[in-house]
Amino acid sequence: VKSEGPKLVPFFKATCVYFVLWLPTSSPSWFSALIKCLPIFCLWVFLLAHGINFLVSHRSASRILAGLIFSAVGDAFLIWQEQGYFIHGLLMFAITHILYSSAFGMKPLDLKAGLLMGVVSSSCYAFLYSYLSGPFTYLVAVYIALIGFMGWRAVAGMQLCNDLWTWTKLSACVGAMLFMVSDLTIALNEFCFPVPYSRFIIMATYYAAQMLIALSAVETRDEEDFRKRS
């Protein structure tokens, strides 16, 4: 973590710029989109700083980078969500969750974690269902299924009982959970009722989630040693 910290300084600075400027959402602009996406751009640079060879040789890292790219596009669409681009943003983040799920992989399977995430996802959709109408009835169902699946794959990597875990897997797990909190807050605020301090909750958990997921792409020497022992 100490070796990766300095590479994240631009991300922290860009995040501070976003919260300090706190540009109003009522007047969307390309400048607003740039400020909102800037922390994600910095995470691109964070991964690219590890070298092209690293990204090429580690498919999980390259998929997380691709997910960050789609996230930035989704963020830009959501700047203009009141102008009809909410669905476009939803689609971009759906692709992001597919890429992250692929990066986390299907081993270990951990069906208990899958069942738990299935129950959580189903409960969230059951609560939202009565507030949804039109195409959102189906789109939100698919989106919740995708982010629930992503959460399952992240949680499954945390084999705490068997002591088979690394800080990168912990980052993926916590990042996925924060992403779910962020998206659930968006859904509640968009479809159900106004959530107090919703924008702060959404963006704080979102940026933290993206940072942790980007960190999970970094292969540490400890993890490589563990793989050799295995």
Side-chain angles (χ1 to χ4, degrees):
V1 176
K2 186 184 295 184
S3 65
E4 300 301 330
K7 297 177 185 147
L8 286 170
V9 169
F11 165 80
F12 289 120
K13 288 183 176 180
T15 303
C16 288
V17 168
Y18 173 83
F19 284 108
V20 169
L21 292 181
W22 203 244
L23 297 171
T25 56
S26 56
S27 55
S29 66
W30 284 107
F31 181 68
S32 297
L34 174 63
I35 295 301
K36 185 181 181 184
C37 296
L38 193 58
I40 307 303
F41 294 159
C42 291
L43 292 178
W44 297 2
V45 175
F46 167 75
L47 289 180
L48 290 170
H50 291 82
I52 299 299
N53 290 336
F54 167 78
L55 294 173
V56 171
S57 59
H58 296 79
R59 290 184 178 180
S60 60
S62 61
R63 288 168 184 169
I64 287 175
L65 176 59
L68 288 169
I69 292 172
F70 278 99
S71 293
V73 177
D75 281 332
F77 276 129
L78 291 180
I79 287 288
W80 287 276
Q81 62 179 323
E82 299 300 327
Q83 284 71 37
Y85 288 95
F86 183 80
I87 291 180
H88 298 73
L90 198 69
L91 175 61
M92 292 300 102
F93 279 106
I95 295 172
T96 294
H97 295 318
I98 292 171
L99 288 165
Y100 286 169
S101 299
S102 178
F104 298 151
M106 290 301 296
K107 292 182 181 179
L109 192 60
D110 197 345
L111 293 177
K112 290 182 179 179
L115 179 61
L116 175 62
M117 293 307 300
V119 170
V120 171
S121 299
S122 299
S123 299
C124 290
Y125 182 70
F127 178 82
L128 292 169
Y129 181 78
S130 60
Y131 295 94
L132 302 173
S133 60
F136 284 111
T137 304
Y138 311 102
L139 292 174
V140 171
V142 172
Y143 187 86
I144 288 178
L146 289 175
I147 195 172
F149 185 83
M150 186 271 290
W152 169 32
R153 297 322 311 147
V155 171
M158 284 293 297
Q159 298 292 296
L160 291 173
C161 295
N162 299 324
D163 201 29
L164 302 178
W165 64 278
T166 61
W167 70 265
T168 53
K169 289 182 171 59
L170 177 61
S171 293
C173 180
V174 176
M177 295 301 101
L178 288 175
F179 217 135
M180 294 179 73
V181 170
S182 179
D183 281 355
L184 178 59
T185 307
I186 290 176
L188 292 174
N189 195 64
E190 183 73 20
F191 301 112
C192 303
F193 47 78
V195 177
Y197 307 106
S198 60
R199 185 181 173 192
F200 177 80
I201 295 170
I202 290 165
M203 297 311 299
T205 53
Y206 170 68
Y207 285 141
Q210 293 283 39
M211 180 197 70
L212 290 169
I213 290 173
L215 266 175
S216 76
V218 178
E219 291 288 335
T220 63
R221 183 170 297 177
D222 290 340
E223 188 169 352
E224 290 173 352
D225 291 342
F226 165 74
R227 288 180 176 179
K228 288 177 183 177
R229 291 198 302 269
S230 299

